[in-house]
Amino acid sequence: MTARSMSKGANLPVDAPDVQVELSWAEGAGGPDIDASALLLAQDGRVRDDTDFVFYNQPLHASGAVRHLGKRRDAGTMTDTVRVDLRSLESAITRVVLCASADGGTFGQVRGLTLRLLGTGSGSELARFEMQAGTETAFIAGELYLREGRWKFRAVGQGYASGLAGVATDFGITVDEEPERAPTSAGPAPLTPPPLTPPSPLAPPPPLAAPSPVAPPLAPPPAAPASGGVSGARLSKEEERLPVDMRKRLSLRKEQVAVSLRKHGAVGVSARVVLVLDASGSMSFLYSRGVVADVVERMAAVAAQLDDDGEMQAWTFASEAARLPDLRLGELPEWLRLHVRVGEMSLFRRSKKPRRGMEPGQIDMRTIGIQNEEQKAIAQVRSYARENPAAAPTLVLFFSDGGVHRDAAIERELRAAVEEPIFWQFVGLGRSDYGVLERFDTLPGRRVDNVGFFAVDDISTVPDQELYDRLLSEFPSWIKAARHAGIL
């Protein structure tokens, strides 16, 4: 054993601030496809949420510290690499578990399975760990861990017979589907001893999957405008199809939207209303509590008051964006049940099978993912508005809980949209890190200010009238400026 060759359980200090973990194996016909991945663990030995899993379907951690670089082929050897910038890891992260998984076979069919730890800057080899396997379909190959303020690397070599899903579930990742069985003629996979130190964490309880949201529980109707308040809510036959309590809430909320428009000098204004919902993993709690469903119901009143046809176009987004079926007032309860859903992470990218239990018109939320890519939703809405011009301006109601990390791409999209008849009203739902969205009001070089932003700690506690006042505070002034500039 050379100074850099490691046996199972051995560890060494890591002085390089930025490393690459390279998994390599001999290319061979008929063997499984091998993938590298990484789990970012907190002090309790679990991920904080599904975004702490970096793999082929989610190649970049939100912090930017861990990135899946992908595969290369060189002279009969395949490699798959994960890069870890130890300086950029969040303070809550104390371990980075480095995994390997086999798709379409077992590791016993793979020759030359080796993990190499390399310094990113120098390319020098810091450690090498050669692994032996039988019928395992996943491995914890090694781990980077923080000990007394210093990062170290340990060669682990712990095998799993349950594939990538088994590894991910053990560390708290939500997995709601079973992988296809790997072909094998051997019996059950032998249990491989766990790493020597530190001891493996106790098996966590099964993760709680966020239930599909339903229409929010019926709440007392919001207070009607005070005596002498301004009416002007437009009536719609679609409302007659709604449950009585929902119909009453909608009617009162339309009155409050009309009051807000009157306050801002926008009586009689019409607009095409578009709703965009953040479906990223960090939103799971808000979906499971019915907060997002309640937001949709409250925004339906804005569309009912501003949009002549009472319909609202809608998008969902996380890692990807997708248009949802149009929201028609008379179908509101069913729309909430079918389409207000959080994104999911698909471990099995090669599966083309439709999701079990999906109903017609539903989006497979595995295709949406769990990370934040606001610019993709912005681009799709812009494309829709160009391809479907309307006589009235477009008001986009864009809800997100933050975690914005694509500032440059978002700014490019919104700057390009300045000359388009679209006003973008962003609403922050509790978290911070809204990035460029918070700064857009002060960004120079735009003929008109086409973006509004505000954030609330808990939108469910904000009274309807206050919410509509804030939501519609900048839209009327944009209309005037856009008309003056010839945009409208």
Side-chain angles (χ1 to χ4, degrees):
M1 184 175 73
T2 67
R4 291 174 180 165
S5 180
M6 303 182 71
S7 59
K8 185 182 296 186
N11 64 80
L12 55 76
V14 178
D15 295 322
D18 192 332
V19 297
Q20 292 189 18
V21 182
E22 181 187 273
L23 189 69
S24 65
W25 64 97
E27 188 176 16
D33 194 7
I34 307 301
D35 294 291
S37 57
L39 290 148
L40 285 71
L41 309 184
Q43 188 67 43
D44 62 358
R46 293 169 61 87
V47 297
R48 297 165 299 178
D49 56 43
D50 289 353
T51 62
D52 284 339
F53 189 19
V54 176
F55 69 121
Y56 45 71
N57 269 2
Q58 186 168 268
L60 179 64
H61 189 259
S63 67
V66 182
R67 181 189 296 269
H68 179 249
L69 299 181
K71 295 179 182 174
R72 290 185 296 107
R73 176 184 288 107
D74 184 15
T77 298
M78 292 292 297
T79 61
D80 197 9
T81 305
V82 172
R83 178 176 176 178
V84 182
D85 184 349
L86 298 171
R87 299 162 299 187
S88 299
L89 286 170
E90 297 156 297
S91 59
I93 300 301
T94 59
R95 291 170 65 195
V96 180
V97 175
L98 307 162
C99 307
S101 57
D103 183 47
T106 69
F107 278 108
Q109 300 169 265
V110 178
R111 295 181 296 108
L113 184 64
T114 302
L115 181 150
R116 298 172 66 220
L117 185 69
L118 309 171
T120 297
S122 64
S124 60
E125 183 178 287
L126 308 177
R128 172 186 291 263
F129 176 40
E130 297 176 1
M131 292 170 278
Q132 302 296 322
T135 57
E136 294 94 336
T137 53
F139 258 94
I140 296 179
E143 64 179 4
L144 294 159
Y145 63 99
L146 192 61
R147 179 65 55 83
E148 297 179 349
R150 187 177 189 184
W151 285 97
K152 304 183 77 173
F153 171 77
R154 175 181 289 107
V156 178
Q158 179 179 351
Y160 282 71
S162 50
L164 183 58
V167 177
T169 301
D170 271 3
F171 290 102
I173 294 291
T174 301
V175 178
D176 61 354
E177 59 181 316
E178 292 296 325
E180 297 179 3
R181 292 184 180 273
T184 175
S185 58
L191 294 177
T192 310
L196 297 178
T197 58
S200 298
L202 295 176
L208 296 175
S212 297
V214 296
L218 296 179
S227 177
V230 179
S231 184
R234 299 171 180 170
L235 300 178
S236 166
K237 291 182 179 180
E238 285 283 312
E239 295 175 48
E240 297 176 4
R241 300 169 54 192
L242 294 173
V244 174
D245 286 343
M246 183 176 281
R247 187 191 315 156
K248 289 180 178 178
R249 289 198 300 272
L250 180 63
S251 179
L252 289 171
R253 284 168 171 163
K254 286 169 59 181
E255 292 279 0
Q256 290 169 315
V257 172
V259 169
S260 294
L261 291 171
R262 172 66 64 91
K263 287 179 182 177
H264 297 296
V267 175
V269 165
S270 295
R272 173 170 58 188
V273 180
V274 173
L275 179 67
V276 182
L277 298 174
D278 184 349
S280 61
S282 57
M283 290 279 294
S284 295
F285 182 64
L286 297 180
Y287 276 86
S288 65
R289 283 181 55 208
V291 172
V292 179
D294 186 56
V295 164
V296 175
E297 185 180 335
R298 296 167 87 177
M299 295 307 104
V302 179
Q305 183 62 19
L306 285 175
D307 202 322
D308 287 331
D309 62 11
E311 293 184 4
M312 184 161 55
Q313 287 70 49
W315 269 259
T316 183
F317 80 94
S319 304
E320 302 296 336
R323 185 181 173 190
L324 297 169
D326 290 354
L327 194 165
R328 298 176 176 86
L329 285 178
E331 301 168 1
L332 180 56
E334 186 70 354
W335 198 95
L336 294 174
R337 183 184 71 84
L338 291 174
H339 306 302
V340 179
R341 298 156 64 225
V342 73
E344 300 174 21
M345 181 170 59
S346 175
L347 296 180
F348 312 110
R349 59 177 174 177
R350 302 168 186 87
S351 174
K352 302 298 182 182
K353 297 179 181 177
R355 181 65 175 272
R356 293 190 298 272
M358 284 183 58
E359 298 189 36
Q362 281 189 312
I363 298 293
D364 185 343
M365 298 306 286
R366 297 173 299 179
T367 65
I368 301 302
I370 62 174
Q371 290 192 310
N372 290 79
E373 300 283 352
E374 289 83 359
Q375 77 283 356
K376 294 182 180 180
I378 295 170
Q380 287 194 19
V381 173
R382 290 183 61 211
S383 177
Y384 170 81
R386 287 194 300 269
E387 295 168 5
N388 300 273
T394 297
L395 170 62
V396 180
L397 306 176
F398 198 115
F399 290 85
S400 170
D401 73 341
V404 173
H405 65 284
R406 301 291 193 191
D407 283 2
I410 293 170
E411 182 176 343
R412 281 195 300 271
E413 288 289 343
L414 292 177
R415 280 189 180 277
V418 165
E419 301 298 323
E420 298 168 350
I422 307 173
F423 184 77
W424 303 83
Q425 180 61 61
F426 291 88
V427 182
L429 299 177
R431 282 183 56 192
S432 56
D433 302 326
Y434 293 105
V436 70
L437 299 180
E438 296 182 272
R439 305 189 299 272
F440 224 84
D441 273 345
T442 61
L443 289 178
R446 294 174 297 146
R447 285 208 300 158
V448 295
D449 182 3
N450 60 330
V451 177
F453 173 84
F454 67 91
V456 293
D457 289 334
D458 184 354
I459 196 168
S460 62
T461 66
V462 179
D464 286 336
Q465 191 64 69
E466 178 184 339
L467 177 62
Y468 295 139
D469 284 349
R470 299 184 70 178
L471 201 68
L472 299 169
S473 63
E474 297 186 58
F475 178 54
S477 58
W478 169 81
I479 289 179
K480 295 177 183 176
R483 283 175 177 161
H484 182 74
I487 297 171
L488 295 181

